[in-house]
Amino acid sequence: MAREKCVLAYSGGMDSTISTVWIQENYNMDVVTLTVDLGAGPEIVGVKERAAQAGAIQSLVWDVRDEFVNEYVFPGLKAGAMYEGVYALSTALGRPLMAKKLVEAAREVGATAVAHGCTGKGNDQVRFDAGIMTLAAHGDPLKIVAPAREWGMTRDEEKLYAQKAGLELREVGSDQRVYSIDRNLWGQAIEGEDLEDTWEAPPEDAFSWTRQISDTPDEPIEVSIGFEKGVPVSIDGTLKSGVELIAILNDLAGEHGVGRIDHVENRLVGIKSREVYETPAAVVLNAALKALETSTMSREQQRVKDNLSAIYSDMVYDGRWFTELRTNIAAFMDSAHEFSTGDVRVRLHKGSCIVVGRRSPFSLYDFDLATYSTTDAFDHEAATGFIDIYSLAARTQSRKQTHSERR
Amino acid sequence: MAREKCVLAYSGGMDSTISTVWIQENYNMDVVTLTVDLGAGPEIVGVKERAAQAGAIQSLVWDVRDEFVNEYVFPGLKAGAMYEGVYALSTALGRPLMAKKLVEAAREVGATAVAHGCTGKGNDQVRFDAGIMTLAAHGDPLKIVAPAREWGMTRDEEKLYAQKAGLELREVGSDQRVYSIDRNLWGQAIEGEDLEDTWEAPPEDAFSWTRQISDTPDEPIEVSIGFEKGVPVSIDGTLKSGVELIAILNDLAGEHGVGRIDHVENRLVGIKSREVYETPAAVVLNAALKALETSTMSREQQRVKDNLSAIYSDMVYDGRWFTELRTNIAAFMDSAHEFSTGDVRVRLHKGSCIVVGRRSPFSLYDFDLATYSTTDAFDHEAATGFIDIYSLAARTQSRKQTHSERR
Amino acid sequence: MAREKCVLAYSGGMDSTISTVWIQENYNMDVVTLTVDLGAGPEIVGVKERAAQAGAIQSLVWDVRDEFVNEYVFPGLKAGAMYEGVYALSTALGRPLMAKKLVEAAREVGATAVAHGCTGKGNDQVRFDAGIMTLAAHGDPLKIVAPAREWGMTRDEEKLYAQKAGLELREVGSDQRVYSIDRNLWGQAIEGEDLEDTWEAPPEDAFSWTRQISDTPDEPIEVSIGFEKGVPVSIDGTLKSGVELIAILNDLAGEHGVGRIDHVENRLVGIKSREVYETPAAVVLNAALKALETSTMSREQQRVKDNLSAIYSDMVYDGRWFTELRTNIAAFMDSAHEFSTGDVRVRLHKGSCIVVGRRSPFSLYDFDLATYSTTDAFDHEAATGFIDIYSLAARTQSRKQTHSERR
Amino acid sequence: MAREKCVLAYSGGMDSTISTVWIQENYNMDVVTLTVDLGAGPEIVGVKERAAQAGAIQSLVWDVRDEFVNEYVFPGLKAGAMYEGVYALSTALGRPLMAKKLVEAAREVGATAVAHGCTGKGNDQVRFDAGIMTLAAHGDPLKIVAPAREWGMTRDEEKLYAQKAGLELREVGSDQRVYSIDRNLWGQAIEGEDLEDTWEAPPEDAFSWTRQISDTPDEPIEVSIGFEKGVPVSIDGTLKSGVELIAILNDLAGEHGVGRIDHVENRLVGIKSREVYETPAAVVLNAALKALETSTMSREQQRVKDNLSAIYSDMVYDGRWFTELRTNIAAFMDSAHEFSTGDVRVRLHKGSCIVVGRRSPFSLYDFDLATYSTTDAFDHEAATGFIDIYSLAARTQSRKQTHSERR
C-alpha cells in the first residue's frame, strides 16, 4: 500500500534537503518537493536534481512571480505596508503565497501533509502554519510538519545527518557562511550572529544587493515612475510589467546604495530582534507612491490611510494575510487609490532616495491657491471668521477650566 | 490723554517695521515692539534701533531660547512631533510661545492690543490668533491686529509706504530676495515662488543650513547622543544644555547634508502647499530617540504612541498647543518615556542620518531570547500551542465564511 | 429680460414661506421652491399652494424617500453611524441629499442660486453650504442664499414681515409652539429654550414619536429583523422595503418608549449643545445590526470597524458626506458586511430595546468551541504554550524596567 | 525536611477545595490557601474551616475591597473600561489584584509555587498566569499550578475524587446548580450551558442581582452622583467611600432592573462566547461619568479618550494590567479628568438608567453660546468665512477628481 504524501516547501538549501530525508524516515511518508519561485534568483537551478537525490518522489517548480507581484506585493504597496515604518515586508508577503501554493499542491497530488522549514522561534512558522490551517479549513484535514522545529539537531548534527544520508550538499558561498538569508524579488532579510549586538553597525559583508555609500557613483541619477491607481506601471515613460519594474529598480537603487534597513523590530512572538534587510525597489516605490498621495489624497484620507496602513502592516507581519479584515482594508485602499495616477521623479544618490517632483492630472495642489504671491485666489478675509469659530471651543475651555498653574 | 498701547511681535524685518508705523497711523495706538529670541541668529542685532526709528515707544527683546527648548521643543520631540512624518514643526512650535510672550508683554505694559505680521492665508495667523485668544480668555480683553492681513498692499506698495515713512530698510541679502524664511533654533521654513512648481526640485540657493550632497565630506562622522527619559542630554558623553546640543547638531548634520525636507503638505486652511525646510538637529534627534524607543518601549507602547504622535503633530501644526488635549497627551508621553534612557550612535554621511547603534540599561532587547544560535532561551515547543490558539479565530472564520471566490 | 432664478429648499413652514418673499425682494430673483420629501410626514400637504401664495413661480415636490433610505440611511447604518455613540444622525443624513436635490433642481430649471433656511449658528448651514459648493464645483457657479442667516430679524419682526407680505401662515400646533423640529423618516431633532438647562430633564411635551415609560404597554413585544449583508430586509420573516420597515419600527418602538435621546453634544462650530432626538427605528436597527456583527465579524474586524464608524459619524455630522474619504470608508464597510446576513430578535419593553437572540449561517459562534461542558473541542493544553509566548514581552519588560515604586 | 509550599487562590467552593487535596497529592507540596475578599458576599464565611478540612497548613483571608475599588475599579471607570462597549470588566479587573496578592502571599510565606483554579479555555487563566509571571519576574522563580487545567477530570470524577478524599462539600444552592458564577463588588459573570444558545434569551433564574423589568417598581427613582476628578464620591450629596457607594448603587439599580448584560463576546483565546453579566452599579457609574464628560471635556478630548478607552478595555480583558502601556494610558486618563468634577442626576426606571441632568463648575456648556434664542453671543457672520475655508479642501477635490459616476 502506498505511503501517504507530504508536500515540502523546498528551497534547495541544506536544511530543506535534509528535511526531505528526515520526513521520509520520521513520518514514513513520501515527499513531493515544491519550489516556489518568488524571484529569489539563482537557487532555482538544480533543485529538481537535489530533491531527487534526497529521495523525493516528485519535484514541482512553480514560477509565481507575477502572482506574487500582482496579488501580494502591489496590494501591499497600495496599503502602505511598511512594518514599523521601515521594513517593506518582503518575506512576510511571500509566506502566505507559499502557504497557498503548498495547500494547492497538496490537493493536487493528494497529499495528507505539508511541510516547511521554519524553526520554533521566528515569525515565519506562524505565517506558514496560520496560512495553511486557514486555507485548509475547508476539505480534508492537512497535517503540518516542521522538521527544524521538531528535530532538535544542532548545526553540526545536521551536517552529520546529511553525510549519513549520503547527501551531496551545495558548495556554500561566503554569504551563506555566516548569514541566514531569505530572499524574494521584493527584498532580502539577513540574519546572523554578527548582527545581534545592537550597539554595533552591521558588517559590510552582510549586504549583497546594495553598495555602501562610499562605493556608490558620485553622480546622482533620476528616474521617473508612473503610477495608475496606485500601481507602478512605467519607468521613465516606458511601460513595464511589475516583475520587470521591480528588477530594474532593485539594480538602480542598489547601485546607489539605497535600500538598506537596520532595525530593532518587534517579532510576533514577543521578542525584540535586530533585523537587517535590503529592499531597494521597495524603498523607492514606497517613497514615490507616498509622494504621489501627498498630491492626490486629501489630508483626512491620508490620516485614515496611515492608521489603516499601520494595522495592515502588522497583520501582514503577523501572518494574518488570509483574514476578512485584510480583505476589508484592501477594499478601502482600492477606493482610496482611485486617483493615485501620475508621475514621481526620484533622485538616487549616495544612499538617499529623494523625491524631487510629483505631478498628476488629479493633483489637489492648486498653484493659484497655494502661491504666496499677491495675485492669489484665496479669500484672506474669510480667515478671521474661520479662526473665530475654529478657536471657539479652545477659548471656551480656557475660560472655564484653566488653572493658572496648568499653563 | 495717553493713547492705548499695542504690543507688536517684531522681527526687525521690513514688514514688521512698516507695521510699527501702520498701527500708529491706522489704529491711533502707541506701539511697543517685542522681539522674541528663539535662536534665530543674527536678526536680533539692531532691532531696538530699527523699532525706535519706526516710532515705537518701547522696545523689548526677550531671550526665551531655554524656555523654547525645554517647554516646547523637547516635549514635542518626546511626543514624536513630526508633521506628516517629515516636518519637525519648528515654526509651529515657536508660534505658541510667541503668542504667550505677546500676552505676557501686553499685561506687563498695560496694552489693550497685540499685533503680529501674518497674512490671511497661512497657518501662522491661526496659531497666533488662537494662542492669543485662548491665553487672553482670562482678564481684560485683548484686541488682535494683523496689519499684513488687513492692509492689502502689494510688495511695491509696501516699499513706497516705507519710503514715505522715512524708514531706512536693512540691506536685503540674496537669500531674502526670493525666499520668505522663518527661522528658529529648531529649523527654518523656506517659501517662495521658485518652490511652487511641485514637478521641479528646489533650487540649491533655497538652502543655507545644509550642504548639498556633492559638497559634503567624503568621510562619515559618528556622534553618540545620550538621552534621559526621552530628553537628549549629552553628545559623545559630554553633558550639554538643550540649546547647545541643538546648535552643535545643526552644524554637524548641516555640514553632512542632513536635514533637508521637501514636502507637499496640507495646510490647516485646506490648501496643499509645497514646503521646504531645513531642520538638521531635529532630524538627527528624532531618528535617535525613535531608535532608542525601539529598544525600550514594548510593541504595544510604540503603536499607541505612534497614533498619539500623529494627533499631537496635527494639533501643534494646527495651532492647538494651548488645549487640554495636548496637555493630556503630554502626560501619556511623559509616562511612556520613563525608561527612554540610553545612548544612540548616529552616522552622518552624504545627506544620510543612519542609526548604527543603540543601548540602554532598560533595553528590552535580550540577546539570549533573540539569538538564532542553538543555545537560546526560547521555548520552541510553546510555539505550536501558541499558533494553535493564535490562529483559531481566523481558522474558524475561514471555515464558516469563506466563499471560494474570496480567496 | 427675465430675472435670474433661485431654487429654495421649502418646507412649507413660516420661515421658508417668508424666505420666498424675502429672496424676491432682496435679491431680485424669481423663486422656485423645492420640497424634498424625506418622509417627514404631514407637512407635504398644501406646500404648493403656500409657495404660490408667497410668489414662487414654480413649485417642485420630490419624493426621495427610497433614495434617502438606500443611498444615505442604510449605508450609514452599515457604517455604524451614531454621533457620539447615541445620535443616529437623522438630520445630518438628510442634509446632503437635500443639497444634492437643490443642485439638481437648479441645473434643471436653469437657476443661478439656491437657498436654504439655516441660521448662522448651527451645523445645518455647514452641511448645506459644503454640500452645495462641493457638488456645484463642476459647471456654472451657483450662489448660495441663506435668508435666515442674513436678514437679522427677531421672531416678532419675522411675523410682522409676514403680515406685511400678506402671508396666511399655517395654524401652529402645540408642538411647534415651543420647539423647533427637524423631521425625516430616520428621526426627529427637537430644539428649544426649555431644553437648554442641562440639569433639568426634557419636558414630556417635547416628545411626539415615543411614549414615556409609564405610558407604555406592560407586556413586551418581540420582533425579529432579517438582514442581508448588513441591510435590514425583513420583519418577522416578511420582506419589507426599507421605507416600510422603518415606518413599522418607528411605530412599534415608539409605542414601547424606545428611541428617546437626550444628549449634550459637540456642535461642529465649537459649541456644546443640549439636543433631544426621537429615533425609534434607528435605535432598534442599530442595536440589531451591532448584535449580528458580534456573531459574524471577527474581533479585529469589530475593532477597526468601530474606529472607522467614529470617523464616519463625525464626517456625516460635520457635513463631509461628499468627500472621497467617506466613499473610501463606505468601501470598507461594504466589504466588512459581506457576511452580515441573519436574524436578530429584539424585545421592546418599557423604553428598553434588548437583543435576545441572534443567528446567522455565517455565525462565528461555535458551540463546540465555546461550551464550558467537558465535551468541548478546545485544546486545553495548547493554552500553556500560548500564555508562555503571549506574556513573554510583558514579562521581559517587567524584568528589565519595573521600579518597585511603579507597581 | 519540610515540603515546599504552594499558595492556592481559594474561594471555598468545591473546585478549590478539591484542588487543595490534589496539589498535595500530585505535587507533594504543602498548601497555604489565600482567600481574597473582593466584595463577593457570603462565600467568605467558613472558608478557613473548609481549607483546614482539606489539609491546608495555613489559611489566609485578606480583605482587599478598598484596594480593589481605589486601584483597579475606579481607575478603570476613569479610563472608560467597558469591554466591547458593554461589559464593565468586573472579573477582569479582579484577576490582576488576585494575582498580585498570590505573589505577595507566596513571598510572605516562602512558597515556591502559586495555584489558581482556572481551566485551559477561558480568559482567566491568561489573566492569572500573565499577572503572576510578570509580577514574579523579579526575585525567585514561582511555579504556577492550575489543577483544573491539568487534572482532566469530568464533573462526576471530581465529585468522586472529593468523596474519596473525605471532603464535606457545601450545600449547593439553586443558582450554583446550573451556572458558574464569578462575583465581586463590581459585578458578577454568569456562565452555563443554558446560556449557550445565542438565539434564546437567558432564562430568568440566571440573574440574582437584578429584577426583571416586569417585577420592578412602577415609580422611577432618581439619584444624584457627585464626582471629583472622575472619581465618584457622593450620592445625593452625601460623601461615601467607594465600597459603600458601589454597594448602594448595586442595590438601587438592581431593584429597578438596571445592569443586565447579555452579549456575544470575543474571548481572548479566539472564541466567540455568549456571556451574561450583572453589573448594576457599574452601568450607572459609567453612564453618569460619561455624561459628565460630555460637559467637561472638549470634543477632541472625548475622541482621543474613546480610542484609548477601547485599547485600555481590551488590555484589561486580555490580562495585560501589569504593563507599561496601561500605566501610560492611565496617566492620560488622570490628566483628562482634571476637570471631571460635578454632579449627574440619573433616573432608574424599568430597566433603564437615564441621565436627566448634569452640572459642573467646569462645564463647557455655555448657555449664551448654545441658545437658539435671538439674544445669543455667537457671531453668525463668522460662519460664512468659516464655511468657506472649512469646505475648501472638499471643493477642490470635487473639482479636480470627481467622476460623475462616483457620486
Side-chain angles (χ1 to χ4, degrees), chain C residues 94-133:
Chain C
R95 294 314 189 202
L97 177 54
M98 291 180 70
K100 190 181 181 193
K101 293 298 155 188
L102 279 175
V103 174
E104 282 180 18
R107 300 308 191 200
E108 206 172 292
V109 305
T112 55
V114 295
H116 60 73
C118 306
T119 66
K121 188 171 178 183
N123 301 305
D124 282 330
Q125 59 169 342
V126 185
R127 295 167 187 155
F128 266 116
D129 287 10
I132 291 163
M133 288 192 283

Side-chain angles (χ1 to χ4, degrees), chain B residues 204-219:
Chain B
E204 192 52 37
D205 74 350
F207 300 102
S208 57
W209 284 15
T210 57
R211 294 195 195 179
Q212 59 180 322
I213 290 176
S214 51
D215 290 348
T216 56
D218 286 336
E219 292 305 308

Side-chain angles (χ1 to χ4, degrees), chain B residues 287-300:
Chain B
L289 181 54
K290 195 100 184 166
L292 184 61
E293 293 169 18
T294 64
S295 292
T296 58
M297 289 188 185
S298 67
R299 174 169 160 159
E300 63 192 6

Side-chain angles (χ1 to χ4, degrees), chain C residues 17-40:
Chain C
T17 304
I18 295 176
S19 295
T20 311
V21 178
W22 189 88
I23 292 168
Q24 298 172 65
E25 290 188 350
N26 288 272
Y27 281 86
N28 191 29
M29 297 179 113
D30 281 339
V31 173
V32 176
T33 63
L34 171 63
T35 304
V36 178
D37 183 2
L38 297 167

